[in-house]
PDB file of all heavy atoms in Angstrom:
ATOM      1  N   CYS A   1      62.503 239.928 -17.309  1.00  0.00           N
ATOM      2  CA  CYS A   1      63.671 239.211 -16.782  1.00  0.00           C
ATOM      3  C   CYS A   1      63.919 237.918 -17.563  1.00  0.00           C
ATOM      4  O   CYS A   1      65.065 237.564 -17.837  1.00  0.00           O
ATOM      5  CB  CYS A   1      63.460 238.898 -15.302  1.00  0.00           C
ATOM      6  SG  CYS A   1      63.437 240.328 -14.208  1.00  0.00           S
ATOM      7  N   TYR A   2      62.842 237.262 -17.917  1.00  0.00           N
ATOM      8  CA  TYR A   2      62.925 235.988 -18.639  1.00  0.00           C
ATOM      9  C   TYR A   2      63.566 236.164 -20.010  1.00  0.00           C
ATOM     10  O   TYR A   2      64.546 235.499 -20.344  1.00  0.00           O
ATOM     11  CB  TYR A   2      61.511 235.425 -18.762  1.00  0.00           C
ATOM     12  CG  TYR A   2      61.368 234.143 -19.534  1.00  0.00           C
ATOM     13  CD1 TYR A   2      61.737 232.920 -18.982  1.00  0.00           C
ATOM     14  CD2 TYR A   2      60.817 234.144 -20.812  1.00  0.00           C
ATOM     15  CE1 TYR A   2      61.581 231.734 -19.686  1.00  0.00           C
ATOM     16  CE2 TYR A   2      60.651 232.959 -21.531  1.00  0.00           C
ATOM     17  CZ  TYR A   2      61.035 231.760 -20.959  1.00  0.00           C
ATOM     18  OH  TYR A   2      60.876 230.598 -21.652  1.00  0.00           O
ATOM     19  N   PHE A   3      63.038 237.108 -20.809  1.00  0.00           N
ATOM     20  CA  PHE A   3      63.578 237.210 -22.163  1.00  0.00           C
ATOM     21  C   PHE A   3      64.945 237.882 -22.179  1.00  0.00           C
ATOM     22  O   PHE A   3      65.771 237.607 -23.058  1.00  0.00           O
ATOM     23  CB  PHE A   3      62.587 237.862 -23.135  1.00  0.00           C
ATOM     24  CG  PHE A   3      62.399 239.359 -23.035  1.00  0.00           C
ATOM     25  CD1 PHE A   3      63.405 240.251 -23.366  1.00  0.00           C
ATOM     26  CD2 PHE A   3      61.162 239.873 -22.660  1.00  0.00           C
ATOM     27  CE1 PHE A   3      63.212 241.621 -23.307  1.00  0.00           C
ATOM     28  CE2 PHE A   3      60.945 241.244 -22.605  1.00  0.00           C
ATOM     29  CZ  PHE A   3      61.986 242.119 -22.924  1.00  0.00           C
ATOM     30  N   GLN A   4      65.232 238.731 -21.200  1.00  0.00           N
ATOM     31  CA  GLN A   4      66.550 239.360 -21.155  1.00  0.00           C
ATOM     32  C   GLN A   4      67.645 238.333 -20.882  1.00  0.00           C
ATOM     33  O   GLN A   4      68.785 238.500 -21.336  1.00  0.00           O
ATOM     34  CB  GLN A   4      66.562 240.454 -20.101  1.00  0.00           C
ATOM     35  CG  GLN A   4      65.803 241.710 -20.523  1.00  0.00           C
ATOM     36  CD  GLN A   4      65.698 242.732 -19.421  1.00  0.00           C
ATOM     37  OE1 GLN A   4      66.596 242.863 -18.593  1.00  0.00           O
ATOM     38  NE2 GLN A   4      64.591 243.454 -19.401  1.00  0.00           N
ATOM     39  N   THR A   5      67.316 237.284 -20.157  1.00  0.00           N
ATOM     40  CA  THR A   5      68.294 236.219 -19.909  1.00  0.00           C
ATOM     41  C   THR A   5      68.708 235.567 -21.230  1.00  0.00           C
ATOM     42  O   THR A   5      69.893 235.286 -21.457  1.00  0.00           O
ATOM     43  CB  THR A   5      67.710 235.161 -18.955  1.00  0.00           C
ATOM     44  OG1 THR A   5      67.359 235.789 -17.721  1.00  0.00           O
ATOM     45  CG2 THR A   5      68.715 234.048 -18.700  1.00  0.00           C
ATOM     46  N   TYR A   6      67.746 235.369 -22.123  1.00  0.00           N
ATOM     47  CA  TYR A   6      68.053 234.776 -23.420  1.00  0.00           C
ATOM     48  C   TYR A   6      68.836 235.741 -24.302  1.00  0.00           C
ATOM     49  O   TYR A   6      69.744 235.323 -25.046  1.00  0.00           O
ATOM     50  CB  TYR A   6      66.763 234.335 -24.116  1.00  0.00           C
ATOM     51  CG  TYR A   6      66.185 233.074 -23.532  1.00  0.00           C
ATOM     52  CD1 TYR A   6      65.199 233.129 -22.548  1.00  0.00           C
ATOM     53  CD2 TYR A   6      66.644 231.819 -23.932  1.00  0.00           C
ATOM     54  CE1 TYR A   6      64.674 231.971 -21.994  1.00  0.00           C
ATOM     55  CE2 TYR A   6      66.127 230.659 -23.390  1.00  0.00           C
ATOM     56  CZ  TYR A   6      65.146 230.740 -22.413  1.00  0.00           C
ATOM     57  OH  TYR A   6      64.651 229.587 -21.855  1.00  0.00           O
ATOM     58  N   LEU A   7      68.511 237.035 -24.238  1.00  0.00           N
ATOM     59  CA  LEU A   7      69.286 238.016 -24.997  1.00  0.00           C
ATOM     60  C   LEU A   7      70.730 238.067 -24.508  1.00  0.00           C
ATOM     61  O   LEU A   7      71.668 238.164 -25.300  1.00  0.00           O
ATOM     62  CB  LEU A   7      68.629 239.396 -24.880  1.00  0.00           C
ATOM     63  CG  LEU A   7      67.282 239.553 -25.592  1.00  0.00           C
ATOM     64  CD1 LEU A   7      66.639 240.876 -25.199  1.00  0.00           C
ATOM     65  CD2 LEU A   7      67.448 239.469 -27.102  1.00  0.00           C
ATOM     66  N   PHE A   8      70.899 238.000 -23.203  1.00  0.00           N
ATOM     67  CA  PHE A   8      72.241 237.975 -22.616  1.00  0.00           C
ATOM     68  C   PHE A   8      73.003 236.734 -23.103  1.00  0.00           C
ATOM     69  O   PHE A   8      74.181 236.821 -23.501  1.00  0.00           O
ATOM     70  CB  PHE A   8      72.139 237.980 -21.092  1.00  0.00           C
ATOM     71  CG  PHE A   8      73.447 237.835 -20.380  1.00  0.00           C
ATOM     72  CD1 PHE A   8      74.281 238.928 -20.181  1.00  0.00           C
ATOM     73  CD2 PHE A   8      73.864 236.599 -19.904  1.00  0.00           C
ATOM     74  CE1 PHE A   8      75.492 238.796 -19.524  1.00  0.00           C
ATOM     75  CE2 PHE A   8      75.072 236.461 -19.244  1.00  0.00           C
ATOM     76  CZ  PHE A   8      75.892 237.559 -19.051  1.00  0.00           C
ATOM     77  N   LYS A   9      72.330 235.596 -23.092  1.00  0.00           N
ATOM     78  CA  LYS A   9      72.942 234.343 -23.541  1.00  0.00           C
ATOM     79  C   LYS A   9      73.406 234.459 -24.990  1.00  0.00           C
ATOM     80  O   LYS A   9      74.530 234.057 -25.344  1.00  0.00           O
ATOM     81  CB  LYS A   9      71.938 233.202 -23.389  1.00  0.00           C
ATOM     82  CG  LYS A   9      72.389 231.854 -23.957  1.00  0.00           C
ATOM     83  CD  LYS A   9      71.317 230.791 -23.705  1.00  0.00           C
ATOM     84  CE  LYS A   9      71.726 229.447 -24.267  1.00  0.00           C
ATOM     85  NZ  LYS A   9      71.692 229.433 -25.744  1.00  0.00           N
ATOM     86  N   GLN A  10      72.558 235.023 -25.852  1.00  0.00           N
ATOM     87  CA  GLN A  10      72.914 235.160 -27.254  1.00  0.00           C
ATOM     88  C   GLN A  10      74.111 236.095 -27.449  1.00  0.00           C
ATOM     89  O   GLN A  10      74.977 235.845 -28.290  1.00  0.00           O
ATOM     90  CB  GLN A  10      71.709 235.677 -28.049  1.00  0.00           C
ATOM     91  CG  GLN A  10      70.595 234.659 -28.173  1.00  0.00           C
ATOM     92  CD  GLN A  10      69.339 235.193 -28.832  1.00  0.00           C
ATOM     93  OE1 GLN A  10      68.294 234.543 -28.817  1.00  0.00           O
ATOM     94  NE2 GLN A  10      69.404 236.377 -29.424  1.00  0.00           N
ATOM     95  N   ALA A  11      74.142 237.152 -26.660  1.00  0.00           N
ATOM     96  CA  ALA A  11      75.261 238.094 -26.758  1.00  0.00           C
ATOM     97  C   ALA A  11      76.564 237.433 -26.324  1.00  0.00           C
ATOM     98  O   ALA A  11      77.598 237.576 -26.982  1.00  0.00           O
ATOM     99  CB  ALA A  11      74.976 239.325 -25.912  1.00  0.00           C
ATOM    100  N   VAL A  12      76.522 236.697 -25.225  1.00  0.00           N
ATOM    101  CA  VAL A  12      77.719 236.025 -24.709  1.00  0.00           C
ATOM    102  C   VAL A  12      78.231 234.990 -25.698  1.00  0.00           C
ATOM    103  O   VAL A  12      79.449 234.836 -25.891  1.00  0.00           O
ATOM    104  CB  VAL A  12      77.417 235.377 -23.343  1.00  0.00           C
ATOM    105  CG1 VAL A  12      78.543 234.426 -22.919  1.00  0.00           C
ATOM    106  CG2 VAL A  12      77.216 236.451 -22.275  1.00  0.00           C
ATOM    107  N   GLU A  13      77.324 234.290 -26.354  1.00  0.00           N
ATOM    108  CA  GLU A  13      77.721 233.243 -27.296  1.00  0.00           C
ATOM    109  C   GLU A  13      78.420 233.809 -28.530  1.00  0.00           C
ATOM    110  O   GLU A  13      79.101 233.061 -29.249  1.00  0.00           O
ATOM    111  CB  GLU A  13      76.495 232.430 -27.705  1.00  0.00           C
ATOM    112  CG  GLU A  13      75.978 231.524 -26.594  1.00  0.00           C
ATOM    113  CD  GLU A  13      74.698 230.807 -26.959  1.00  0.00           C
ATOM    114  OE1 GLU A  13      74.016 231.248 -27.913  1.00  0.00           O
ATOM    115  OE2 GLU A  13      74.365 229.808 -26.285  1.00  0.00           O
ATOM    116  N   LYS A  14      78.279 235.090 -28.781  1.00  0.00           N
ATOM    117  CA  LYS A  14      78.965 235.716 -29.911  1.00  0.00           C
ATOM    118  C   LYS A  14      80.438 236.005 -29.605  1.00  0.00           C
ATOM    119  O   LYS A  14      81.214 236.275 -30.523  1.00  0.00           O
ATOM    120  CB  LYS A  14      78.280 237.039 -30.276  1.00  0.00           C
ATOM    121  CG  LYS A  14      76.901 236.900 -30.872  1.00  0.00           C
ATOM    122  CD  LYS A  14      76.286 238.261 -31.135  1.00  0.00           C
ATOM    123  CE  LYS A  14      77.084 239.073 -32.120  1.00  0.00           C
ATOM    124  NZ  LYS A  14      76.453 240.398 -32.404  1.00  0.00           N
ATOM    125  N   LEU A  15      80.807 235.942 -28.329  1.00  0.00           N
ATOM    126  CA  LEU A  15      82.130 236.376 -27.905  1.00  0.00           C
ATOM    127  C   LEU A  15      83.022 235.206 -27.524  1.00  0.00           C
ATOM    128  O   LEU A  15      82.538 234.171 -27.043  1.00  0.00           O
ATOM    129  CB  LEU A  15      82.011 237.330 -26.715  1.00  0.00           C
ATOM    130  CG  LEU A  15      81.186 238.610 -26.949  1.00  0.00           C
ATOM    131  CD1 LEU A  15      80.957 239.333 -25.628  1.00  0.00           C
ATOM    132  CD2 LEU A  15      81.891 239.523 -27.941  1.00  0.00           C
ATOM    133  N   ALA A  16      84.304 235.394 -27.686  1.00  0.00           N
ATOM    134  CA  ALA A  16      85.283 234.440 -27.155  1.00  0.00           C
ATOM    135  C   ALA A  16      85.364 234.609 -25.642  1.00  0.00           C
ATOM    136  O   ALA A  16      85.081 235.692 -25.110  1.00  0.00           O
ATOM    137  CB  ALA A  16      86.648 234.682 -27.781  1.00  0.00           C
ATOM    138  N   THR A  17      85.760 233.558 -24.965  1.00  0.00           N
ATOM    139  CA  THR A  17      85.842 233.613 -23.504  1.00  0.00           C
ATOM    140  C   THR A  17      86.731 234.762 -23.048  1.00  0.00           C
ATOM    141  O   THR A  17      86.431 235.456 -22.064  1.00  0.00           O
ATOM    142  CB  THR A  17      86.391 232.284 -22.961  1.00  0.00           C
ATOM    143  OG1 THR A  17      85.537 231.215 -23.381  1.00  0.00           O
ATOM    144  CG2 THR A  17      86.454 232.307 -21.437  1.00  0.00           C
ATOM    145  N   SER A  18      87.803 235.001 -23.764  1.00  0.00           N
ATOM    146  CA  SER A  18      88.733 236.069 -23.394  1.00  0.00           C
ATOM    147  C   SER A  18      88.141 237.465 -23.580  1.00  0.00           C
ATOM    148  O   SER A  18      88.683 238.447 -23.073  1.00  0.00           O
ATOM    149  CB  SER A  18      90.020 235.951 -24.217  1.00  0.00           C
ATOM    150  OG  SER A  18      89.734 236.017 -25.611  1.00  0.00           O
ATOM    151  N   ASP A  19      87.036 237.562 -24.307  1.00  0.00           N
ATOM    152  CA  ASP A  19      86.418 238.862 -24.590  1.00  0.00           C
ATOM    153  C   ASP A  19      85.205 239.151 -23.727  1.00  0.00           C
ATOM    154  O   ASP A  19      84.496 240.151 -23.951  1.00  0.00           O
ATOM    155  CB  ASP A  19      85.997 238.931 -26.066  1.00  0.00           C
ATOM    156  CG  ASP A  19      87.187 238.924 -27.009  1.00  0.00           C
ATOM    157  OD1 ASP A  19      88.264 239.399 -26.594  1.00  0.00           O
ATOM    158  OD2 ASP A  19      87.039 238.432 -28.149  1.00  0.00           O
ATOM    159  N   LEU A  20      84.944 238.300 -22.732  1.00  0.00           N
ATOM    160  CA  LEU A  20      83.737 238.475 -21.916  1.00  0.00           C
ATOM    161  C   LEU A  20      83.926 239.586 -20.883  1.00  0.00           C
ATOM    162  O   LEU A  20      84.301 239.344 -19.731  1.00  0.00           O
ATOM    163  CB  LEU A  20      83.375 237.151 -21.226  1.00  0.00           C
ATOM    164  CG  LEU A  20      82.850 236.053 -22.146  1.00  0.00           C
ATOM    165  CD1 LEU A  20      82.611 234.774 -21.368  1.00  0.00           C
ATOM    166  CD2 LEU A  20      81.592 236.507 -22.864  1.00  0.00           C
ATOM    167  N   THR A  21      83.670 240.796 -21.322  1.00  0.00           N
ATOM    168  CA  THR A  21      83.688 241.953 -20.438  1.00  0.00           C
ATOM    169  C   THR A  21      82.349 242.674 -20.568  1.00  0.00           C
ATOM    170  O   THR A  21      81.666 242.546 -21.607  1.00  0.00           O
ATOM    171  CB  THR A  21      84.811 242.932 -20.803  1.00  0.00           C
ATOM    172  OG1 THR A  21      84.533 243.484 -22.107  1.00  0.00           O
ATOM    173  CG2 THR A  21      86.167 242.231 -20.810  1.00  0.00           C
ATOM    174  N   PRO A  22      81.915 243.417 -19.550  1.00  0.00           N
ATOM    175  CA  PRO A  22      80.630 244.139 -19.649  1.00  0.00           C
ATOM    176  C   PRO A  22      80.498 245.016 -20.891  1.00  0.00           C
ATOM    177  O   PRO A  22      79.458 244.957 -21.573  1.00  0.00           O
ATOM    178  CB  PRO A  22      80.588 244.950 -18.345  1.00  0.00           C
ATOM    179  CG  PRO A  22      81.350 244.103 -17.373  1.00  0.00           C
ATOM    180  CD  PRO A  22      82.474 243.523 -18.183  1.00  0.00           C
ATOM    181  N   PRO A  23      81.518 245.818 -21.266  1.00  0.00           N
ATOM    182  CA  PRO A  23      81.361 246.629 -22.486  1.00  0.00           C
ATOM    183  C   PRO A  23      81.187 245.783 -23.744  1.00  0.00           C
ATOM    184  O   PRO A  23      80.394 246.130 -24.630  1.00  0.00           O
ATOM    185  CB  PRO A  23      82.664 247.437 -22.534  1.00  0.00           C
ATOM    186  CG  PRO A  23      83.132 247.495 -21.112  1.00  0.00           C
ATOM    187  CD  PRO A  23      82.760 246.160 -20.545  1.00  0.00           C
ATOM    188  N   ASN A  24      81.917 244.663 -23.821  1.00  0.00           N
ATOM    189  CA  ASN A  24      81.806 243.812 -25.008  1.00  0.00           C
ATOM    190  C   ASN A  24      80.442 243.122 -25.082  1.00  0.00           C
ATOM    191  O   ASN A  24      79.864 242.967 -26.166  1.00  0.00           O
ATOM    192  CB  ASN A  24      82.918 242.765 -25.022  1.00  0.00           C
ATOM    193  CG  ASN A  24      84.273 243.362 -25.351  1.00  0.00           C
ATOM    194  OD1 ASN A  24      84.362 244.477 -25.866  1.00  0.00           O
ATOM    195  ND2 ASN A  24      85.331 242.627 -25.058  1.00  0.00           N
ATOM    196  N   ILE A  25      79.944 242.699 -23.935  1.00  0.00           N
ATOM    197  CA  ILE A  25      78.617 242.067 -23.907  1.00  0.00           C
ATOM    198  C   ILE A  25      77.552 243.091 -24.291  1.00  0.00           C
ATOM    199  O   ILE A  25      76.628 242.784 -25.052  1.00  0.00           O
ATOM    200  CB  ILE A  25      78.330 241.471 -22.513  1.00  0.00           C
ATOM    201  CG1 ILE A  25      79.297 240.313 -22.223  1.00  0.00           C
ATOM    202  CG2 ILE A  25      76.885 240.980 -22.420  1.00  0.00           C
ATOM    203  CD1 ILE A  25      79.230 239.797 -20.802  1.00  0.00           C
ATOM    204  N   ARG A  26      77.697 244.309 -23.803  1.00  0.00           N
ATOM    205  CA  ARG A  26      76.754 245.370 -24.156  1.00  0.00           C
ATOM    206  C   ARG A  26      76.746 245.602 -25.671  1.00  0.00           C
ATOM    207  O   ARG A  26      75.691 245.737 -26.289  1.00  0.00           O
ATOM    208  CB  ARG A  26      77.111 246.660 -23.434  1.00  0.00           C
ATOM    209  CG  ARG A  26      76.154 247.830 -23.721  1.00  0.00           C
ATOM    210  CD  ARG A  26      76.720 249.112 -23.194  1.00  0.00           C
ATOM    211  NE  ARG A  26      77.987 249.425 -23.845  1.00  0.00           N
ATOM    212  CZ  ARG A  26      78.879 250.283 -23.360  1.00  0.00           C
ATOM    213  NH1 ARG A  26      78.663 250.892 -22.205  1.00  0.00           N
ATOM    214  NH2 ARG A  26      80.006 250.517 -24.020  1.00  0.00           N
ATOM    215  N   ASP A  27      77.929 245.626 -26.268  1.00  0.00           N
ATOM    216  CA  ASP A  27      77.998 245.826 -27.714  1.00  0.00           C
ATOM    217  C   ASP A  27      77.426 244.629 -28.474  1.00  0.00           C
ATOM    218  O   ASP A  27      76.769 244.784 -29.511  1.00  0.00           O
ATOM    219  CB  ASP A  27      79.449 246.065 -28.143  1.00  0.00           C
ATOM    220  CG  ASP A  27      79.960 247.433 -27.724  1.00  0.00           C
ATOM    221  OD1 ASP A  27      79.123 248.328 -27.462  1.00  0.00           O
ATOM    222  OD2 ASP A  27      81.195 247.606 -27.647  1.00  0.00           O
ATOM    223  N   ALA A  28      77.669 243.428 -27.959  1.00  0.00           N
ATOM    224  CA  ALA A  28      77.215 242.216 -28.639  1.00  0.00           C
ATOM    225  C   ALA A  28      75.700 242.053 -28.596  1.00  0.00           C
ATOM    226  O   ALA A  28      75.124 241.365 -29.459  1.00  0.00           O
ATOM    227  CB  ALA A  28      77.890 240.986 -28.027  1.00  0.00           C
ATOM    228  N   VAL A  29      75.053 242.657 -27.606  1.00  0.00           N
ATOM    229  CA  VAL A  29      73.602 242.493 -27.494  1.00  0.00           C
ATOM    230  C   VAL A  29      72.848 243.412 -28.452  1.00  0.00           C
ATOM    231  O   VAL A  29      71.651 243.222 -28.696  1.00  0.00           O
ATOM    232  CB  VAL A  29      73.142 242.732 -26.037  1.00  0.00           C
ATOM    233  CG1 VAL A  29      72.971 244.232 -25.739  1.00  0.00           C
ATOM    234  CG2 VAL A  29      71.834 241.994 -25.726  1.00  0.00           C
ATOM    235  N   LYS A  30      73.529 244.380 -29.044  1.00  0.00           N
ATOM    236  CA  LYS A  30      72.864 245.302 -29.978  1.00  0.00           C
ATOM    237  C   LYS A  30      72.279 244.530 -31.157  1.00  0.00           C
ATOM    238  O   LYS A  30      72.965 243.739 -31.809  1.00  0.00           O
ATOM    239  CB  LYS A  30      73.869 246.341 -30.499  1.00  0.00           C
ATOM    240  CG  LYS A  30      74.383 247.297 -29.448  1.00  0.00           C
ATOM    241  CD  LYS A  30      75.443 248.231 -30.034  1.00  0.00           C
ATOM    242  CE  LYS A  30      76.014 249.166 -28.993  1.00  0.00           C
ATOM    243  NZ  LYS A  30      77.092 250.027 -29.550  1.00  0.00           N
ATOM    244  N   GLY A  31      71.010 244.753 -31.411  1.00  0.00           N
ATOM    245  CA  GLY A  31      70.350 244.092 -32.525  1.00  0.00           C
ATOM    246  C   GLY A  31      69.903 242.667 -32.257  1.00  0.00           C
ATOM    247  O   GLY A  31      69.281 242.051 -33.123  1.00  0.00           O
ATOM    248  N   GLN A  32      70.184 242.136 -31.084  1.00  0.00           N
ATOM    249  CA  GLN A  32      69.769 240.771 -30.767  1.00  0.00           C
ATOM    250  C   GLN A  32      68.241 240.687 -30.680  1.00  0.00           C
ATOM    251  O   GLN A  32      67.574 241.590 -30.177  1.00  0.00           O
ATOM    252  CB  GLN A  32      70.382 240.309 -29.451  1.00  0.00           C
ATOM    253  CG  GLN A  32      71.869 240.027 -29.515  1.00  0.00           C
ATOM    254  CD  GLN A  32      72.189 238.859 -30.434  1.00  0.00           C
ATOM    255  OE1 GLN A  32      71.564 237.812 -30.370  1.00  0.00           O
ATOM    256  NE2 GLN A  32      73.173 239.055 -31.305  1.00  0.00           N
ATOM    257  N   GLU A  33      67.694 239.588 -31.168  1.00  0.00           N
ATOM    258  CA  GLU A  33      66.263 239.355 -31.165  1.00  0.00           C
ATOM    259  C   GLU A  33      65.947 238.012 -30.514  1.00  0.00           C
ATOM    260  O   GLU A  33      66.769 237.091 -30.543  1.00  0.00           O
ATOM    261  CB  GLU A  33      65.704 239.352 -32.592  1.00  0.00           C
ATOM    262  CG  GLU A  33      65.893 240.654 -33.348  1.00  0.00           C
ATOM    263  CD  GLU A  33      65.344 240.592 -34.761  1.00  0.00           C
ATOM    264  OE1 GLU A  33      64.803 239.517 -35.140  1.00  0.00           O
ATOM    265  OE2 GLU A  33      65.440 241.590 -35.491  1.00  0.00           O
TER     266      GLU A  33
END
């Protein structure tokens, strides 16, 4: 749970506010470390 929160944060930071949707966040998290 702890590290997934950081992965989620990194994925969200890649997106514009207008693009924050579950499918976009899922795509943005691919390859995140």
